[in-house]
Amino acid sequence: MIDKSEVKVSVKNLKKHYGDLQVLKDISTDIYKGEVVTVIGPSGSGKSTFLRCLNRLETVTSGTVVVDGTDITDKHNNINKVRENIGMVFQHFNLFNNLNIIDNLTLAPVQLKKCSKAEATERAKKMLSKVGLSDKAESYPSQLSGGQKQRVAIARALCMEPDIMLFDEPTSALDPEMVGEVLQVMKDLAADGMTMIIVTHEMGFAREVADRVIFMDGGYIIEEGTPQEVLLNPKEARTIDFLNKVL
């Protein structure tokens, strides 16, 4: 359920340059509590950079990003404090191969949140159950399929009890038959009311789960609206052209 009275992420005139290369040219948007936003667009359009600016994995060139009322572009604010409330799931899982699954999940909560090992383990077991992998607690990442690794990565992010989840093309490194199991976990999260921002190529998922679709190209938001508006009745020529190629 979207709560329009609470803006979780507010982006104003966001720009990001790498030297002379302008990746984000002028991005402004607000994301509300409980909203599921999918970001689509061609490769190189700035989608992943936009996502990484939302938890300052990328330094913003200009503009502001305010998360839960804290301006994370202000160097004086403690980004690590803000990041504790933002879960991030990457394309390539980023699990620690030398740790078993339960240790992968308890590492950050114990180190960052100062919660006890017992408490962290309890929560980790709950999150593994949530993603359907209770039987893999003692396994190592090398013993899991790609889809299972990505579900573990989602469980790991959830162990920090975030308010907001960022997903950067979470299914693009997976074999096609494993995509469904990861998308199902994300659908369940959406149903639970998690605020989510998802960079994805999965148009069916965007149509089914998103409250809003943002189409980016060339460092700009070209079009945004409901899945019905953007995916089924796009207005901009560039959106129409893109969708004709991918749908």
Side-chain angles (χ1 to χ4, degrees):
M1 200 51 208
I2 302 174
D3 179 357
K4 281 284 177 112
S5 69
E6 187 175 338
V7 176
K8 294 296 279 180
V9 182
S10 181
V11 180
K12 296 274 183 292
N13 308 115
L14 174 63
K15 295 180 181 157
K16 173 63 186 173
H17 305 172
Y18 297 101
D20 292 340
L21 179 66
Q22 283 187 296
V23 181
L24 299 176
K25 293 174 183 165
D26 193 1
I27 303 281
S28 295
T29 191
D30 285 340
I31 290 149
Y32 297 95
K33 184 177 183 174
E35 190 174 22
V36 177
V37 178
T38 54
V39 184
I40 64 168
S43 294
S45 58
K47 307 183 298 292
S48 290
T49 304
F50 167 59
L51 198 71
R52 290 167 68 87
C53 285
L54 301 183
N55 63 355
R56 225 173 76 195
L57 282 177
E58 296 287 352
T59 310
V60 169
T61 304
S62 67
T64 57
V65 177
V66 177
V67 178
D68 281 332
T70 301
D71 180 355
I72 66 167
T73 48
D74 180 342
K75 300 282 191 289
H76 300 102
N77 286 325
N78 181 355
I79 184 62
N80 292 324
K81 203 76 209 134
V82 178
R83 276 198 193 124
E84 284 177 10
N85 294 325
I86 307 175
M88 177 101 184
V89 176
F90 300 89
Q91 194 173 344
H92 293 294
F93 330 127
N94 293 13
L95 299 174
F96 295 106
N97 290 322
N98 59 328
L99 298 179
N100 69 13
I101 298 312
I102 205 87
D103 288 343
N104 261 285
L105 267 61
T106 55
L107 186 67
V110 170
Q111 286 192 343
L112 298 175
K113 279 273 172 110
K114 323 284 191 286
C115 85
S116 71
K117 181 75 174 168
E119 219 180 323
T121 303
E122 194 54 41
R123 191 186 301 160
K125 285 179 177 167
K126 202 180 286 177
M127 293 312 160
L128 279 179
S129 164
K130 195 178 179 69
V131 300
L133 291 172
S134 293
D135 57 335
K136 300 295 184 189
E138 301 300 326
S139 303
Y140 282 81
S142 60
Q143 298 169 301
L144 304 186
S145 70
Q148 289 171 328
K149 286 182 198 171
Q150 195 56 293
R151 279 150 57 197
V152 168
I154 294 171
R156 179 180 59 179
L158 292 173
C159 281
M160 291 297 288
E161 300 186 314
D163 290 342
I164 300 163
M165 287 281 282
L166 307 178
F167 293 88
D168 191 5
E169 299 192 21
T171 57
S172 62
L174 300 179
D175 293 335
E177 70 268 25
M178 291 172 187
V179 168
E181 63 190 61
V182 174
L183 294 182
Q184 187 54 54
V185 170
M186 293 166 68
K187 285 175 190 172
D188 294 345
L189 280 180
D192 288 346
M194 176 68 77
T195 307
M196 306 204 294
I197 306 157
I198 305 157
V199 171
T200 186
H201 293 295
E202 300 289 335
M203 297 300 150
F205 174 77
R207 192 162 53 227
E208 195 182 333
V209 179
D211 299 301
R212 178 156 45 118
V213 177
I214 290 176
F215 172 67
M216 284 182 66
D217 191 30
Y220 292 103
I221 291 177
I222 304 293
E223 191 163 353
E224 62 181 312
T226 64
Q228 181 74 25
E229 290 163 345
V230 176
L231 299 175
L232 301 178
N233 302 291
K235 295 184 179 59
E236 300 294 329
R238 185 65 194 96
T239 318
I240 294 165
D241 180 47
F242 172 76
L243 292 171
N244 282 340
K245 291 192 177 106
V246 298
L247 289 180

Short mmCIF file of all heavy atoms in Angstrom, two decimals, residues 26-54:
data_model
loop_
_atom_site.label_atom_id
_atom_site.label_comp_id
_atom_site.label_asym_id
_atom_site.label_seq_id
_atom_site.Cartn_x
_atom_site.Cartn_y
_atom_site.Cartn_z
N ASP A 26 19.94 15.24 -15.51
CA ASP A 26 19.05 16.06 -14.66
C ASP A 26 17.87 15.20 -14.24
O ASP A 26 16.85 15.18 -14.90
CB ASP A 26 18.57 17.30 -15.43
CG ASP A 26 17.93 18.31 -14.49
OD1 ASP A 26 17.89 18.04 -13.27
OD2 ASP A 26 17.45 19.36 -14.96
N ILE A 27 18.04 14.50 -13.13
CA ILE A 27 17.02 13.54 -12.69
C ILE A 27 16.31 14.08 -11.45
O ILE A 27 16.96 14.42 -10.47
CB ILE A 27 17.68 12.18 -12.33
CG1 ILE A 27 18.47 11.63 -13.51
CG2 ILE A 27 16.65 11.20 -11.81
CD1 ILE A 27 17.67 10.95 -14.57
N SER A 28 15.00 14.15 -11.52
CA SER A 28 14.20 14.53 -10.35
C SER A 28 13.01 13.58 -10.24
O SER A 28 12.30 13.35 -11.22
CB SER A 28 13.67 15.97 -10.49
OG SER A 28 14.74 16.89 -10.48
N THR A 29 12.82 13.01 -9.06
CA THR A 29 11.66 12.16 -8.82
C THR A 29 11.51 11.93 -7.32
O THR A 29 12.48 12.07 -6.57
CB THR A 29 11.78 10.81 -9.57
OG1 THR A 29 10.53 10.12 -9.53
CG2 THR A 29 12.86 9.91 -8.98
N ASP A 30 10.30 11.61 -6.89
CA ASP A 30 10.05 11.25 -5.48
C ASP A 30 9.53 9.82 -5.43
O ASP A 30 8.72 9.42 -6.28
CB ASP A 30 9.00 12.17 -4.85
CG ASP A 30 9.56 13.56 -4.54
OD1 ASP A 30 10.79 13.69 -4.45
OD2 ASP A 30 8.75 14.50 -4.41
N ILE A 31 9.99 9.08 -4.44
CA ILE A 31 9.52 7.70 -4.26
C ILE A 31 8.89 7.60 -2.87
O ILE A 31 9.47 8.01 -1.87
CB ILE A 31 10.69 6.72 -4.44
CG1 ILE A 31 11.08 6.70 -5.93
CG2 ILE A 31 10.31 5.31 -3.99
CD1 ILE A 31 12.48 6.44 -6.24
N TYR A 32 7.67 7.07 -2.85
CA TYR A 32 6.87 7.07 -1.62
C TYR A 32 6.98 5.77 -0.85
O TYR A 32 7.37 4.73 -1.40
CB TYR A 32 5.40 7.33 -1.96
CG TYR A 32 5.16 8.68 -2.58
CD1 TYR A 32 5.11 8.83 -3.97
CD2 TYR A 32 5.04 9.82 -1.78
CE1 TYR A 32 4.93 10.08 -4.54
CE2 TYR A 32 4.84 11.07 -2.35
CZ TYR A 32 4.79 11.20 -3.74
OH TYR A 32 4.63 12.44 -4.30
N LYS A 33 6.63 5.84 0.41
CA LYS A 33 6.65 4.66 1.27
C LYS A 33 5.75 3.56 0.69
O LYS A 33 4.60 3.82 0.33
CB LYS A 33 6.15 5.05 2.67
CG LYS A 33 6.22 3.90 3.64
CD LYS A 33 5.81 4.30 5.04
CE LYS A 33 5.98 3.10 5.95
NZ LYS A 33 5.74 3.41 7.32
N GLY A 34 6.31 2.36 0.59
CA GLY A 34 5.53 1.22 0.10
C GLY A 34 5.42 1.15 -1.41
O GLY A 34 4.76 0.25 -1.94
N GLU A 35 6.06 2.06 -2.12
CA GLU A 35 5.97 2.08 -3.59
C GLU A 35 7.01 1.14 -4.20
O GLU A 35 8.13 1.04 -3.72
CB GLU A 35 6.18 3.50 -4.10
CG GLU A 35 5.87 3.66 -5.59
CD GLU A 35 5.94 5.10 -6.08
OE1 GLU A 35 6.61 5.94 -5.44
OE2 GLU A 35 5.33 5.38 -7.11
N VAL A 36 6.61 0.47 -5.26
CA VAL A 36 7.54 -0.36 -6.03
C VAL A 36 7.76 0.33 -7.38
O VAL A 36 6.83 0.49 -8.17
CB VAL A 36 6.98 -1.78 -6.26
CG1 VAL A 36 7.93 -2.61 -7.12
CG2 VAL A 36 6.73 -2.47 -4.92
N VAL A 37 8.99 0.77 -7.59
CA VAL A 37 9.34 1.52 -8.80
C VAL A 37 10.33 0.69 -9.61
O VAL A 37 11.36 0.28 -9.09
CB VAL A 37 9.97 2.88 -8.44
CG1 VAL A 37 10.39 3.64 -9.70
CG2 VAL A 37 8.99 3.72 -7.62
N THR A 38 10.00 0.42 -10.87
CA THR A 38 10.97 -0.25 -11.74
C THR A 38 11.55 0.78 -12.70
O THR A 38 10.85 1.65 -13.19
CB THR A 38 10.33 -1.40 -12.54
OG1 THR A 38 9.20 -0.91 -13.25
CG2 THR A 38 9.91 -2.55 -11.66
N VAL A 39 12.86 0.65 -12.92
CA VAL A 39 13.58 1.57 -13.82
C VAL A 39 14.03 0.75 -15.02
O VAL A 39 14.75 -0.24 -14.88
CB VAL A 39 14.80 2.19 -13.11
CG1 VAL A 39 15.47 3.22 -14.02
CG2 VAL A 39 14.39 2.84 -11.78
N ILE A 40 13.55 1.15 -16.20
CA ILE A 40 13.89 0.42 -17.42
C ILE A 40 14.57 1.38 -18.41
O ILE A 40 14.53 2.59 -18.23
CB ILE A 40 12.63 -0.21 -18.07
CG1 ILE A 40 11.64 0.88 -18.53
CG2 ILE A 40 11.95 -1.18 -17.10
CD1 ILE A 40 10.52 0.38 -19.42
N GLY A 41 15.17 0.81 -19.43
CA GLY A 41 15.83 1.63 -20.45
C GLY A 41 16.99 0.87 -21.06
O GLY A 41 17.41 -0.16 -20.54
N PRO A 42 17.52 1.38 -22.17
CA PRO A 42 18.62 0.69 -22.84
C PRO A 42 19.89 0.69 -21.98
O PRO A 42 20.02 1.48 -21.05
CB PRO A 42 18.82 1.49 -24.12
CG PRO A 42 18.24 2.83 -23.85
CD PRO A 42 17.13 2.62 -22.86
N SER A 43 20.83 -0.19 -22.32
CA SER A 43 22.13 -0.20 -21.64
C SER A 43 22.79 1.15 -21.84
O SER A 43 22.70 1.75 -22.91
CB SER A 43 23.02 -1.29 -22.24
OG SER A 43 22.46 -2.54 -21.94
N GLY A 44 23.45 1.63 -20.77
CA GLY A 44 24.14 2.91 -20.88
C GLY A 44 23.26 4.13 -20.69
O GLY A 44 23.68 5.26 -20.87
N SER A 45 22.00 3.89 -20.27
CA SER A 45 21.08 5.04 -20.12
C SER A 45 21.22 5.72 -18.76
O SER A 45 20.65 6.77 -18.53
CB SER A 45 19.63 4.58 -20.33
OG SER A 45 19.29 3.56 -19.41
N GLY A 46 22.00 5.09 -17.85
CA GLY A 46 22.22 5.71 -16.53
C GLY A 46 21.44 5.06 -15.40
O GLY A 46 21.48 5.53 -14.26
N LYS A 47 20.75 3.95 -15.69
CA LYS A 47 19.88 3.32 -14.68
C LYS A 47 20.65 2.88 -13.43
O LYS A 47 20.27 3.21 -12.32
CB LYS A 47 19.17 2.08 -15.27
CG LYS A 47 18.43 2.29 -16.56
CD LYS A 47 17.71 1.04 -17.02
CE LYS A 47 18.60 -0.16 -17.33
NZ LYS A 47 19.47 0.01 -18.50
N SER A 48 21.72 2.12 -13.65
CA SER A 48 22.47 1.59 -12.49
C SER A 48 23.17 2.72 -11.74
O SER A 48 23.24 2.69 -10.51
CB SER A 48 23.50 0.56 -12.95
OG SER A 48 22.82 -0.61 -13.38
N THR A 49 23.67 3.70 -12.48
CA THR A 49 24.32 4.85 -11.82
C THR A 49 23.31 5.59 -10.95
O THR A 49 23.61 5.98 -9.81
CB THR A 49 24.93 5.80 -12.87
OG1 THR A 49 25.82 5.05 -13.69
CG2 THR A 49 25.67 6.95 -12.23
N PHE A 50 22.11 5.78 -11.47
CA PHE A 50 21.04 6.42 -10.71
C PHE A 50 20.79 5.66 -9.40
O PHE A 50 20.77 6.24 -8.31
CB PHE A 50 19.76 6.47 -11.56
CG PHE A 50 18.51 6.82 -10.80
CD1 PHE A 50 18.40 8.03 -10.12
CD2 PHE A 50 17.43 5.95 -10.76
CE1 PHE A 50 17.24 8.35 -9.41
CE2 PHE A 50 16.28 6.26 -10.05
CZ PHE A 50 16.19 7.46 -9.38
N LEU A 51 20.68 4.33 -9.52
CA LEU A 51 20.42 3.51 -8.34
C LEU A 51 21.55 3.64 -7.33
O LEU A 51 21.32 3.78 -6.13
CB LEU A 51 20.26 2.04 -8.77
CG LEU A 51 19.57 1.13 -7.77
CD1 LEU A 51 18.09 1.46 -7.67
CD2 LEU A 51 19.75 -0.33 -8.16
N ARG A 52 22.79 3.63 -7.82
CA ARG A 52 23.96 3.67 -6.92
C ARG A 52 24.13 5.04 -6.27
O ARG A 52 24.75 5.15 -5.22
CB ARG A 52 25.22 3.27 -7.69
CG ARG A 52 25.23 1.79 -8.07
CD ARG A 52 26.32 1.48 -9.09
NE ARG A 52 27.64 1.63 -8.50
CZ ARG A 52 28.29 0.68 -7.84
NH1 ARG A 52 27.73 -0.52 -7.69
NH2 ARG A 52 29.49 0.89 -7.34
N CYS A 53 23.54 6.07 -6.87
CA CYS A 53 23.56 7.40 -6.24
C CYS A 53 22.60 7.45 -5.04
O CYS A 53 22.76 8.30 -4.16
CB CYS A 53 23.16 8.48 -7.24
SG CYS A 53 24.45 8.86 -8.45
N LEU A 54 21.62 6.54 -5.00
CA LEU A 54 20.62 6.58 -3.95
C LEU A 54 21.15 6.09 -2.61
O LEU A 54 20.53 6.31 -1.57
CB LEU A 54 19.37 5.76 -4.34
CG LEU A 54 18.65 6.21 -5.62
CD1 LEU A 54 17.40 5.37 -5.83
CD2 LEU A 54 18.30 7.70 -5.58
#
